[in-house]
């Protein structure tokens, strides 16, 4: 007997001991399965030990990176989440009851910013043996198979189809598609988004979750995720509320140990800092964590903590009021303005032309009978307008604003204190342009009108155009 025949006969005699067909269910011996399960359990325990070992090493290793600190503070289990248990049960129920293997299911998770929507989905998906594949808007260009530049909407559609139909060789877990940033091409094109959902329901095989920061009657909820689309494609909705003070307190308590151990060289988190942050946070876990990190930085010089003081945002109307009704601090024979003119000029440097027009329209409200002050103020405003028209130097706008603010505040030495609403400057330039356009259109209509046999001459045309303009 030749050597190949001997090998084949040996394989045929011993095939039943180590080879089992996928279609022979009657004579199936589960001993190999037990061995396989045992090896999988051993491999799983080894992976868990390796993960715990790597986590312990990274936990003890100091870091100065903000992204690394935020990653270390991320929740690892359901008890670490700031989301309420009721909402966690709703998400778990959706995974266990609604999600079917091989069938597309859609979920919309909405809630205010920083309430823990994404972290809750990641933790609960991991507990249900799902790997999250998140859509991140690409910044570079991509080419299709015909060497054409793909639009953002096309790349998003390609991502949904490819990510759900082709598996990974590195993991046996099921996949979960997560979308937080919907491409802008779908924001105004709700029909395109509806056709995309229809195509995904036709070709998709894995669950798809949309995370929406807006709630209530927002644009996305009323257009893309309208009630008709939710009913048509079976989109379930879970609304997550802002984090409660108790949940925020538990999160701050958990991350304190992590921050003090990983970044002890640059941070020192104390209970007083935590209390300051919690007193100024309204249900935003992300903002509270960032404020705690920056508030606990170690600095060489001691500064008074200003965590409880909200930064003032100076609006246009308040700025106009501080200029036309200046307030002074008198100390003996000297005085100074309460509001620094340079600070006011810096606040409105980007729209100096608008600020000058508003001052020009409202400066007489507080002048009263001070004609000398009004004369000085109008001279200052006129010169500031001329200086501001210079476009070859970017710094000239700040000079014009500084001159305007100082001049008007000094000219109004005795402002009249009474309530005067701030008026919007008259847009006479746009009115003149609009009237010229109307006159031109009417002239062309008269010129091409077949009913009129006589064409207007030049004098009539000029008179008609002048009559149409309301100066």
């Amino acid at each position: 007997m030749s050597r190949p025949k001997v090998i084949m006969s040996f394989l045929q005699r011993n095939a039943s001991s180590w080879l089992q067909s996928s279609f022979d269910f009657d004579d199936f011996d589960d001993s190999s399965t037990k061995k396989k399960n045992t090896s999988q359990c051993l491999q799983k325990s080894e992976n868990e030990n390796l993960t715990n070992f790597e986590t312990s090493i990274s936990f003890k290793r100091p870091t100065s990176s903000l992204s690394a600190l935020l990653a270390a503070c991320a929740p690892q289990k359901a008890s670490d989440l700031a989301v309420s248990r009721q909402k966690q049960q709703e998400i778990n129920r959706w995974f266990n009851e609604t999600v079917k293997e091989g069938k597309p299911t859609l979920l919309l998770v909405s809630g205010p910013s920083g309430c823990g929507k994404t972290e809750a989905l990641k933790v609960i998906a991991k507990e249900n043996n799902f790997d999250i594949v998140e859509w991140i808007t690409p910044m570079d260009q991509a080419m299709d198979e015909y060497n054409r530049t793909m639009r953002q909407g096309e790349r998003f559609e390609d991502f949904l189809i490819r990510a759900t139909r082709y598996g990974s060789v590195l993991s046996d877990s099921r996949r979960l598609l997560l979308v937080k940033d919907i491409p802008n091409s779908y924001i105004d094109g709700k029909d395109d988004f509806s056709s995309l959902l229809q195509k995904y329901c036709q070709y998709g095989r894995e669950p798809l979750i949309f995370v929406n920061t807006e709630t209530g009657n927002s644009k996305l909820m009323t257009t893309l995720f309208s009630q008709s689309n939710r009913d048509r494609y079976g989109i379930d909705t879970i609304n997550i509320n802002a984090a409660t003070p108790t949940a925020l307190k538990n999160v701050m308590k958990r991350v304190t140990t992590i921050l003090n151990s990983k970044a002890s060289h640059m941070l020192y988190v104390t209970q007083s800092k935590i209390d300051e942050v919690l007193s100024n946070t309204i249900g935003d876990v992300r903002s509270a964590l960032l404020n705690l990190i920056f508030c606990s930085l170690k600095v060489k010089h001691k500064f008074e903590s200003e965590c409880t003081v909200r930064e003032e945002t100076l609006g246009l109307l308040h700025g106009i009021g501080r200029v036309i009704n200046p307030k002074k601090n008198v100390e003996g024979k000297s005085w100074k303005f309460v509001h620094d003119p340079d600070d006011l000029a810096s606040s409105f440097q980007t729209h100096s032309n608008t600020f000058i027009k508003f001052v020009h329209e409202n400066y007489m409200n507080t002048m009263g009978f001070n004609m000398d002050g009004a004369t000085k103020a109008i001279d200052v405003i006129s010169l500031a307008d001329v200086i501001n028209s210079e476009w070859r130097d970017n710094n000239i706008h700040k000079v014009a604003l500084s001159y305007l603010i100082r001049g008007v505040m000094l000219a109004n030495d005795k402002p009249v204190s009474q309530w005067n609403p701030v008026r919007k400057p008259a847009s006479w330039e746009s009115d003149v342009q609009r009237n010229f356009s109307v006159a031109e259109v009417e002239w062309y209509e008269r010129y091409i009108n077949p009913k009129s046999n006589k064409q207007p001459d030049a004098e009539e045309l000029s008179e008609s155009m002048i009559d149409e303009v309301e100066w």
Side-chain angles (χ1 to χ4, degrees):
M1 184 179 293
S2 61
R3 185 180 180 86
K5 292 183 179 180
V6 173
I7 295 175
M8 290 299 298
S9 62
F10 175 78
L11 291 176
Q12 291 176 0
R13 290 195 305 269
N14 297 278
S16 60
S17 62
W18 61 274
L19 181 63
Q20 180 66 36
S21 173
S22 300
F23 303 98
D24 296 337
F25 297 101
D26 297 334
D27 300 331
F28 181 72
D29 185 10
D30 60 347
S31 60
S32 60
T33 306
K34 293 180 180 179
K35 294 179 181 179
K36 184 177 180 181
N37 293 335
T38 305
S39 61
Q40 288 180 352
C41 293
L42 292 175
Q43 185 178 3
K44 184 177 180 181
S45 61
E46 291 176 358
N47 292 334
E48 291 179 354
N49 294 332
L50 181 60
T51 303
N52 296 332
F53 177 72
E54 293 176 351
T55 305
S56 62
I57 292 178
S58 62
F59 185 83
K60 296 179 180 179
R61 184 182 303 165
T63 180
S64 300
S65 174
L66 179 60
S67 59
L69 288 176
L70 295 178
C73 295
Q76 303 297 328
K77 50 187 178 180
S79 59
D80 298 338
L81 296 174
V83 179
S84 63
R85 293 183 180 179
Q86 180 182 0
K87 297 301 178 180
Q88 294 182 28
Q89 292 175 359
E90 289 185 19
I91 299 175
N92 263 316
R93 194 180 305 115
W94 183 80
F95 275 107
N96 297 326
E97 298 179 2
T98 306
V99 176
K100 304 296 182 182
E101 187 173 359
K103 294 183 179 180
T105 49
L106 303 177
L107 174 65
L108 174 63
V109 178
S110 60
S113 177
C115 66
K117 303 181 294 295
T118 305
E119 296 299 330
L121 290 173
K122 290 181 178 179
V123 172
I124 298 176
K126 184 178 179 181
E127 292 180 351
N128 288 273
N129 198 24
F130 277 90
D131 289 336
I132 289 184
V133 182
E134 184 176 355
W135 160 258
I136 299 176
T137 303
M139 301 301 295
D140 55 345
Q141 293 183 352
M143 310 298 291
D144 59 4
E145 56 184 356
Y146 301 106
N147 291 329
R148 296 179 301 182
T149 303
M150 297 181 63
R151 296 178 298 176
Q152 194 179 67
E154 295 175 349
R155 299 182 70 175
F156 181 66
E157 180 179 346
D158 184 69
F159 162 79
L160 292 182
I161 302 302
R162 288 180 179 271
T164 187
R165 294 185 66 86
Y166 302 104
S168 174
V169 297
L170 303 178
S171 176
D172 295 334
S173 302
R174 296 184 58 187
R175 282 155 299 158
L176 170 67
L177 274 63
L178 182 65
V179 178
K180 296 175 60 178
D181 186 14
I182 299 177
N184 295 329
S185 57
Y186 293 110
I187 300 300
D188 296 327
K190 58 180 181 179
D191 295 334
D192 297 336
F193 187 75
S194 180
S195 61
L196 175 66
L197 293 179
Q198 183 178 2
K199 186 177 295 185
Y200 184 80
C201 292
Q202 182 179 359
Y203 297 104
R205 297 179 180 176
E206 302 294 345
L208 172 61
I209 298 181
F210 292 96
V211 178
N212 182 24
T213 303
E214 301 174 352
T215 56
N217 296 325
S218 62
K219 185 176 181 180
L220 290 180
M221 296 295 292
T222 55
T223 56
L224 301 186
F225 299 102
S226 60
Q227 189 63 40
S228 59
N229 281 344
R230 281 182 277 173
D231 295 339
R232 184 183 307 170
Y233 304 109
I235 303 177
D236 298 319
T237 305
I238 297 178
N239 184 25
I240 298 179
N241 301 323
T244 60
T246 305
L248 281 173
K249 188 175 181 180
N250 294 333
V251 172
M252 294 294 104
K253 183 179 179 181
R254 178 179 61 84
V255 301
T256 299
T257 307
I258 301 175
L259 295 177
N260 285 332
S261 60
K262 289 185 67 68
S264 58
H265 61 288
M266 57 179 291
L267 296 177
Y268 181 63
V269 183
T270 60
Q271 186 62 38
S272 60
K273 301 292 180 63
I274 295 176
D275 295 338
E276 287 184 5
V277 171
L278 292 178
S279 62
N280 292 273
T281 304
I282 307 176
D284 194 338
V285 182
R286 186 188 303 110
S287 176
L289 180 57
L290 291 175
N291 289 335
L292 181 63
I293 292 175
F294 289 114
C295 188
S296 304
L297 287 172
K298 292 181 179 180
V299 292
K300 295 181 180 180
H301 304 284
K302 294 184 178 179
F303 296 96
E304 183 180 0
S305 177
E306 297 181 355
C307 184
T308 58
V309 181
R310 293 188 177 181
E311 183 180 357
E312 181 185 13
T313 302
L314 185 62
L316 178 62
L317 301 183
H318 290 87
I320 298 297
R322 293 179 181 182
V323 173
I324 64 177
N325 189 11
K327 297 180 180 180
K328 303 176 182 178
N329 283 332
V330 180
E331 297 178 358
K333 296 183 179 180
S334 62
W335 59 270
K336 65 178 182 179
F337 290 117
V338 175
H339 304 103
D340 190 1
D342 289 334
D343 294 340
L344 294 175
S346 300
S347 300
F348 302 98
Q349 185 178 358
T350 56
H351 43 284
S352 57
N353 191 27
T354 303
F355 192 84
I356 293 175
K357 289 182 178 180
F358 266 89
V359 173
H360 186 199
E361 184 69 24
N362 297 275
Y363 78 100
M364 287 297 296
N365 292 346
T366 58
M367 284 292 180
F369 297 99
N370 187 5
M371 298 306 298
D372 293 336
T375 303
K376 295 178 182 178
I378 192 60
D379 291 339
V380 169
I381 294 173
S382 301
L383 184 55
D385 192 18
V386 174
I387 297 175
N388 189 60
S389 62
E390 176 61 40
W391 53 269
R392 287 170 291 186
D393 190 357
N394 295 328
N395 296 322
I396 202 68
H397 303 296
K398 188 174 182 180
V399 175
L401 275 179
S402 180
Y403 175 74
L404 169 78
I405 293 172
R406 292 177 186 274
V408 174
M409 293 175 73
L410 289 173
N412 195 0
D413 53 351
K414 296 180 180 180
V416 178
S417 298
Q418 62 181 8
W419 184 81
N420 290 302
V422 178
R423 298 189 302 270
K424 182 180 179 181
S427 56
W428 62 272
E429 296 177 354
S430 59
D431 293 339
V432 170
Q433 186 67 28
R434 188 184 307 109
N435 291 331
F436 268 118
S437 301
V438 172
E440 185 179 6
V441 170
E442 291 185 358
W443 179 81
Y444 277 110
E445 289 179 351
R446 294 176 185 175
Y447 187 79
I448 64 176
N449 190 3
K451 295 182 180 180
S452 60
N453 297 325
K454 180 182 178 181
Q455 294 183 356
D457 54 7
E459 294 182 357
E460 293 179 353
L461 293 177
S462 60
E463 291 178 358
S464 62
M465 292 182 66
I466 293 175
D467 293 336
E468 294 293 339
V469 178
E470 298 178 0
W471 297 94

